[in-house]
Amino acid sequence: MLLTLQQVARHNKKEDIWVILHGKVYDLTEFLPEHPGGQKIILKYAGKDATQAFDPIHPKDIIERLLPASVYQGDMDPEELKQQQEAEEESPKDKAIRLARKAMPHLDEIYNTFDFENIARKVMSPEGWGYYSSGAGDEITMRENHSAYHRIWLRPRILVNVKSIDTTTTMLGTKVSFPLYISATALGKLGHPEGEKVLTRAAGRANVIYMVPTLASCSFDELVDSRLDHQTQWLQLYVNENRALSKKLIQHAEARGIKGLFITVDAPQLAYREKDMRQKYTQDVPSEMKGTSQQMERDEGAARAISSYIDPSLAWEDIPWFKSITQMPIIIKGVQCVEDALMAARYGCQGVVLSNHGGRQLDFAPSSIEVLADVMEALNAQSISNFEVYVDGGIRRGTDIFKAIALGATGVGIGRPALYAMSTYGDQGVDKLLYLLKRELVECMRLMGAPTIKSIHPTMVDTRNLKDHFMPGPTDHLSSFAYEKMQPVGNSSKL
């Protein structure tokens, strides 16, 4: 027997709450107090269809996996649901996005990563843009990640045979088309209905590695099932307080062919990101939540909503346990100083990712490229080999990739550029992004007199200004134009 909208609408109170998700009806009364994102969003859709709000931040099968079968109440009448959706009036926000998408330039007119970012700012939902673009604090580190590359100058070599350029290299045993991977980023469906599956497919077509995130909008198995036959994936892990859950995910990932475990260590809590947080202030607060501490804890942007998953007690002493439960190489992701890179080597890890979480955690943490120069010097001084070093944060050009490789990186990760390309042009956008970055790298290698990745070496870069944070660098008009400046509350408040 099919349920009607009228039947579902009767269950619209805190003590009796049903919601519709993908045409199925669920009783979430018992789950309401436990929802990691807070009660507000479920209460907003009490007795209604919550699919549109649910999809961007949840894998489709999450209720079947995590809640008892008894919460399922039945299926909706599909014809009635369709009629309701057709009758719903387009909101001003949705209309503005639709018109902005209609006015997007053709993909052939996109020439660099900042083109994608500038268009994404216009066509994404405020919630999606706020989550993807935001950084911690005053966003100093987020901007420094890119600016630091401007303080590294190139030293070209001439009269080298560069007729053929080979960008291939090996990362954790996998041969890739060029030294770049798409890093793990959460909540992909905030930018595209298919979420991280778009990134997975594009990585496979370009023969680069995709890092599967713990907190993806798609389920882990959906992302593994989306890969091409030859494709390599890594797993990014947020460690849960319940170690059994983490163990289950790790061993399931290994069984499904994941080739590397990247343990994120720079997020004992997810930082306050004000652009993200401000998006939530525009929504009305249910009366029972006003004036309570829960309101601040549970309604401060997408990042804060998902931070309860992460265990802040994670320590070096846990690394042997991870090594005991998997044969995958273990990489520590989020290293921000020389000492911790050396600690990772001492604990028998296979490498590190020098990362400050894209400037989304501790503001005024150093840029990854600055840390790279120090780390490689320390590793070489202690004759540490068979230890791979990756960097992410601020990579926007092929010259940035070249500079990182010259300073000793095995490869680089990109996050936001892939999200913006996905959010604007979908699969074709990410294909174009990877094509542009590889093309720029080829051009840089040819002009630098470096025909192969192995021929790129430290003498090809001048880093004398890298640590000078006060010397003005070249004006970066593209980055400045694409960057959305932070605004004080007086500019956005309804007061």
Side-chain angles (χ1 to χ4, degrees):
M1 178 179 172
L2 297 176
L3 295 168
T4 66
L5 289 170
Q6 187 177 23
Q7 288 175 307
V8 177
R10 297 190 191 111
H11 304 269
N12 62 352
K13 299 180 178 61
K14 189 173 182 179
E15 60 275 9
D16 177 21
I17 184 166
W18 288 12
V19 297
I20 303 166
L21 297 170
H22 294 287
K24 297 181 182 296
V25 180
Y26 299 96
D27 182 347
L28 299 184
T29 309
E30 297 297 323
F31 176 65
L32 183 64
E34 302 172 9
H35 183 227
Q39 300 182 28
K40 173 183 173 181
I41 189 65
I42 297 180
L43 290 168
K44 180 179 178 180
Y45 290 96
K48 302 175 185 176
D49 189 346
T51 305
Q52 191 172 359
F54 173 90
D55 266 356
I57 54 176
H58 300 92
K60 191 173 180 179
D61 63 349
I62 193 169
I63 289 184
E64 285 79 4
R65 287 193 290 113
L66 299 182
L67 297 185
S70 58
V71 302
Y72 170 66
Q73 301 301 305
D75 289 348
M76 280 295 302
D77 181 340
E79 192 59 35
E80 186 181 15
L81 202 57
K82 181 181 178 182
Q83 290 174 3
Q84 184 204 39
Q85 291 167 349
E86 291 174 347
E88 288 178 352
E89 191 173 331
E90 185 179 38
S91 70
K93 180 180 73 173
D94 290 340
K95 181 179 180 180
I97 291 173
R98 177 175 57 80
L99 293 176
R101 286 197 170 274
K102 190 175 180 180
M104 286 197 319
H106 192 275
L107 189 57
D108 289 344
E109 300 177 62
I110 303 301
Y111 292 112
N112 57 64
T113 60
F114 297 107
D115 286 346
F116 288 113
E117 182 174 353
N118 190 47
I119 296 167
R121 180 178 170 182
K122 297 178 175 68
V123 304
M124 288 185 68
S125 70
E127 295 80 10
W129 173 255
Y131 180 67
Y132 288 173
S133 69
S134 59
D138 297 314
E139 301 186 337
I140 303 298
T141 290
M142 185 181 80
R143 287 176 281 149
E144 166 66 5
N145 277 343
H146 179 60
S147 297
Y149 281 92
H150 298 160
R151 300 195 298 274
I152 301 173
W153 292 83
L154 299 173
R155 303 181 67 246
R157 303 303 300 271
I158 61 171
L159 294 176
V160 177
N161 184 350
V162 288
K163 183 177 181 180
S164 297
I165 299 295
D166 182 4
T167 61
T168 61
T169 190
T170 300
M171 303 197 304
L172 290 184
T174 296
K175 187 174 182 180
V176 293
S177 62
F178 69 119
L180 176 143
Y181 62 92
I182 298 179
S183 193
T185 50
L187 309 186
K189 288 185 180 179
L190 286 173
H192 191 279
E194 290 192 273
E196 297 84 358
K197 288 190 283 187
V198 174
L199 304 178
T200 300
R201 294 192 295 256
R205 288 189 294 268
N207 192 25
V208 298
I209 295 171
Y210 176 63
M211 185 187 293
V212 178
T214 298
L215 300 177
S217 295
C218 303
S219 70
F220 172 83
D221 285 316
E222 280 183 298
L223 297 181
V224 174
D225 291 341
S226 297
R227 70 186 176 194
L228 304 182
D229 290 340
H230 68 274
Q231 187 174 353
T232 294
Q233 293 172 314
W234 294 334
L235 172 67
Q236 175 270 332
L237 181 72
Y238 280 126
V239 180
N240 191 267
E241 190 175 49
N242 182 344
R243 290 292 194 270
L245 288 178
S246 292
K247 180 179 180 180
K248 181 179 179 181
L249 175 58
I250 291 168
Q251 294 184 336
H252 178 60
E254 185 169 8
R256 295 229 50 192
I258 298 295
K259 300 300 184 184
L261 176 63
F262 286 65
I263 303 175
T264 295
V265 297
D266 58 1
Q269 76 166 56
L270 295 186
Y272 292 95
R273 304 163 190 169
E274 294 173 18
K275 285 178 187 170
D276 180 26
M277 293 163 65
R278 289 195 194 283
Q279 295 306 321
K280 302 304 176 184
Y281 294 160
T282 62
Q283 300 181 15
D284 293 331
V285 179
S287 58
E288 67 269 27
M289 296 182 71
K290 289 182 178 179
T292 67
S293 61
Q294 281 187 328
Q295 179 184 352
M296 294 304 294
E297 292 171 2
R298 299 188 180 196
D299 189 32
E300 296 174 338
R304 302 295 299 168
I306 62 178
S307 65
S308 60
Y309 183 92
I310 304 166
D311 182 10
S313 73
L314 182 66
W316 285 112
E317 291 74 22
D318 293 305
I319 300 302
W321 178 77
F322 287 106
K323 294 178 68 177
S324 74
I325 64 170
T326 182
Q327 297 298 311
M328 289 187 289
I330 294 176
I331 309 294
I332 303 300
K333 182 179 184 293
V335 170
Q336 298 166 78
C337 66
V338 169
E339 294 84 351
D340 284 338
L342 295 176
M343 283 286 284
R346 292 188 192 114
Y347 271 88
C349 298
Q350 281 68 44
V352 293
V353 179
L354 305 180
S355 172
N356 51 46
H357 219 93
R360 293 162 71 80
Q361 284 299 99
L362 179 65
D363 207 14
F364 288 94
S367 67
S368 302
I369 193 67
E370 182 178 333
V371 177
L372 174 63
D374 295 335
V375 165
M376 296 311 300
E377 182 180 353
L379 291 174
N380 292 332
Q382 297 194 20
S383 300
I384 296 174
S385 58
N386 298 319
F387 188 80
E388 300 191 3
V389 178
Y390 299 89
V391 295
D392 66 26
I395 306 291
R396 297 295 184 271
R397 288 285 191 182
T399 49
D400 299 336
I401 302 172
F402 186 97
K403 292 171 184 179
I405 300 302
L407 289 176
T410 305
V412 304
I414 58 168
R416 287 188 182 91
L419 291 174
Y420 296 145
M422 174 193 75
S423 301
T424 49
Y425 296 91
D427 282 72
Q428 290 181 318
V430 187
D431 289 344
K432 180 69 177 284
L433 170 73
L434 296 174
Y435 163 77
L436 290 172
L437 288 171
K438 184 178 179 181
R439 186 184 70 177
E440 290 178 0
L441 177 61
V442 169
E443 176 185 274
C444 182
M445 290 172 65
R446 180 168 282 124
L447 295 175
M448 284 296 297
T452 66
I453 296 298
K454 287 185 178 180
S455 64
I456 303 173
H457 50 84
T459 62
M460 290 181 160
V461 291
D462 180 350
T463 60
R464 286 176 294 176
N465 294 330
L466 181 55
K467 291 185 176 296
D468 188 347
H469 297 179
F470 301 99
M471 188 194 83
T475 302
D476 185 355
H477 295 290
L478 283 175
S479 178
S480 298
F481 188 86
Y483 173 67
E484 181 184 20
K485 295 178 177 61
M486 298 183 72
Q487 299 287 338
V489 70
N491 285 10
S492 57
S493 174
K494 294 180 179 180
L495 298 177

